[in-house]
Amino acid sequence: MSKKPRIAVFGCGYWGRNHVRTLAELGALACVVDQAPELAQEMAQKHGVEALDANEVIADPSIDAIVMALPAQFHAETALSAFKAGKHVFAEKPIALSVDDAAAMVDAADAAGKVLMAGHILRYHNAFRSIMQLVEAGDLGDVKYVQSHRLGFGKFHVKFDALWDLAPHDLSLLLSVVGRGPEKISPIPASVTGGQTDMAHVHLDFGQDVKGHIYVSRHSPYVERRFTVVGSKAMVVWDDMEPDWNKKVSMHKHSVSQGDAGWIFSKQDPQYIACEAGMALTDELQHFMLCIETGEKPLTDGAQGLDVVRILNAAS
């Protein structure tokens, strides 16, 4: 493809409008779609494009792809129509609510030879890219344990509990580091509000002596967003609440070994891994555009989106 792909955004709500703005800045926004005509017209006029209905977009051969920022229960039906019409699809997290729907999306994309990309935005954060560089270079040794904490107060949704709302971010990161799905999933959910899961621990066993853990909460009195990879040679921590980009990622070369007199511990000062401040959504959508143009497989492809849905269903 010699020109930029023309991309329609389905859904102009809280997060969808960020997609609209970013794609407009990238020169790839074709049109917008929303069930609220007034909202669609407002966003269309603001960014100099048309507001169309979904059927018009699907039938328009000049539109190459769609971004779905819709309620997840509508993703599968919309994506299947798009693939049938020969379009690429970006689906915000989670890509579906059931394993069957997510699998159908993956199969349809494969059959059509089109890109299906899951909107796991933190995979494109520069801090996480720094971590992946350390993992892939072998600086941490063999990955043994990965954990992620995502805690705060709110948001409370009618449709999504804390697990479905927060955990897709963390599961995508874990799957990216380990490179495969878990063999065993052990959830420990809890409710404060008397209904939905408000907090949950999920323990993951990936086999080959690799384990992981996520802890998510929408009922925490403090905010924590911390991701840790423990390797055989070193550990790395991403503290997303750290405002200094040069200190968001730290590597710790602590070591422990067993000698004749017992366990020997060695603790080192942290080594900060500088990373550039960036806009993860811009990088994510540029990656989607690149995959459309080149046929490259997305870093967060449909298979990863399906794995996340499988884990969420097993943990719910």
Side-chain angles (χ1 to χ4, degrees), residues 167-184:
H169 293 298
D170 309 284
L171 291 172
S172 171
L173 301 183
L174 264 74
L175 291 169
S176 297
V177 169
V178 179
R180 60 182 183 276
E183 297 178 0
K184 184 179 179 181

Side-chain angles (χ1 to χ4, degrees), residues 103-316:
M105 292 167 65
V106 172
D107 291 342
D110 290 343
K114 297 299 176 181
V115 173
L116 171 59
M117 179 166 158
H120 297 153
I121 187 172
L122 293 184
R123 176 62 182 83
Y124 302 91
H125 195 291
N126 283 346
F128 185 72
R129 286 176 168 171
S130 296
I131 289 176
M132 286 301 297
Q133 289 171 1
L134 295 172
V135 171
E136 292 166 356
D139 292 339
L140 306 183
D142 296 329
V143 172
K144 295 295 185 180
Y145 192 79
V146 188
Q147 69 178 28
S148 189
H149 290 183
R150 187 169 304 281
L151 316 177
F153 190 78
K155 305 170 182 175
F156 292 85
H157 300 281
V158 174
K159 188 69 178 179
F160 285 154
D161 61 14
L163 194 62
W164 280 87
D165 184 39
L166 301 175
H169 293 298
D170 309 284
L171 291 172
S172 171
L173 301 183
L174 264 74
L175 291 169
S176 297
V177 169
V178 179
R180 60 182 183 276
E183 297 178 0
K184 184 179 179 181
I185 303 164
S186 304
I188 305 174
S191 176
V192 177
T193 56
Q196 294 179 327
T197 295
D198 294 312
M199 55 195 69
H201 292 269
V202 182
H203 299 277
L204 305 165
D205 189 336
F206 292 92
Q208 301 176 36
D209 199 29
V210 180
K211 293 181 171 60
H213 165 253
I214 66 171
Y215 175 32
V216 295
S217 174
R218 64 182 183 185
H219 215 283
S220 171
Y222 59 91
V223 178
E224 181 181 3
R225 296 174 187 168
R226 198 184 303 264
F227 184 81
T228 304
V229 181
V230 179
S232 58
K233 293 166 55 177
M235 297 171 273
V236 64
V237 179
W238 169 19
D239 182 359
D240 202 27
M241 300 308 297
E242 168 58 58
D244 186 345
W245 279 77
N246 291 320
K247 292 186 176 181
K248 279 185 179 291
V249 180
S250 57
M251 185 162 65
H252 305 258
K253 295 186 176 181
H254 305 336
S255 65
V256 58
S257 60
Q258 191 171 21
D260 294 337
W263 292 102
I264 302 171
F265 298 87
S266 175
K267 187 174 181 179
Q268 307 294 325
D269 291 334
Q271 173 187 343
Y272 291 104
I273 310 298
C275 54
E276 293 184 6
M279 298 294 290
L281 181 59
T282 299
D283 292 343
E284 182 182 36
L285 288 174
Q286 285 180 322
H287 183 67
F288 180 49
M289 293 166 61
L290 176 67
C291 291
I292 292 172
E293 294 164 0
T294 65
E296 180 181 327
K297 185 175 77 170
L299 294 172
T300 54
D301 61 1
Q304 187 185 96
L306 173 57
D307 277 341
V308 168
V309 173
R310 282 192 179 120
I311 296 169
L312 291 171
N313 272 276
S316 296

Side-chain angles (χ1 to χ4, degrees), residues 33-44:
V33 178
D34 196 276
Q35 64 179 357
E38 301 84 0
L39 178 57
Q41 284 293 342
E42 175 191 343
M43 296 302 294

